[in-house]
């Protein structure tokens, strides 16, 4: 899945103000991370599988500095 959801971004902005950041756990193709980053927000996506990263699927090719693989059941550092 590589869903981009501008309505979700707009609703978050309305609820929490313009000082937003996003941590997407299980980000898949990174679409939501891309949407937030595209609109100037700090956005990080973590994915358990490295399949999308290896083949450069979806947004893994366009925003590699925002997408990472890791096992979130273990300690990790951003």
């Amino acid at each position: 899945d590589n869903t981009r959801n501008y309505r979700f971004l707009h609703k978050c902005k309305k609820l929490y103000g313009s000082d937003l950041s996003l941590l997407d756990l299980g980000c898949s193709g990174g679409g939501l991370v891309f949407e937030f980053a595209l609109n100037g927000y700090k956005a990080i996506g973590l994915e358990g599988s490295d399949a999308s990263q290896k083949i450069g699927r979806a947004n893994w090719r366009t925003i590699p500095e925002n997408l990472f693989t890791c096992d979130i059941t273990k300690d990790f550092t951003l």
Side-chain angles (χ1 to χ4, degrees), residues 20-41:
L20 291 175
S21 57
L22 171 79
L23 175 59
D24 186 356
L25 303 175
C27 67
S28 190
L32 190 58
V33 175
F34 180 77
E35 190 67 50
F36 272 69
L38 183 67
N39 284 277
Y41 299 104

Side-chain angles (χ1 to χ4, degrees), residues 15-70:
L15 289 171
Y16 303 109
S18 61
D19 188 24
L20 291 175
S21 57
L22 171 79
L23 175 59
D24 186 356
L25 303 175
C27 67
S28 190
L32 190 58
V33 175
F34 180 77
E35 190 67 50
F36 272 69
L38 183 67
N39 284 277
Y41 299 104
K42 185 184 295 184
I44 298 292
L46 303 178
E47 177 58 41
S49 169
D50 65 352
S52 292
Q53 182 185 39
K54 282 183 175 179
I55 63 171
R57 186 181 83 77
N59 292 112
W60 284 84
R61 192 175 297 174
T62 56
I63 54 166
E65 66 281 355
N66 297 72
L67 301 173
F68 303 92
T69 59
C70 76

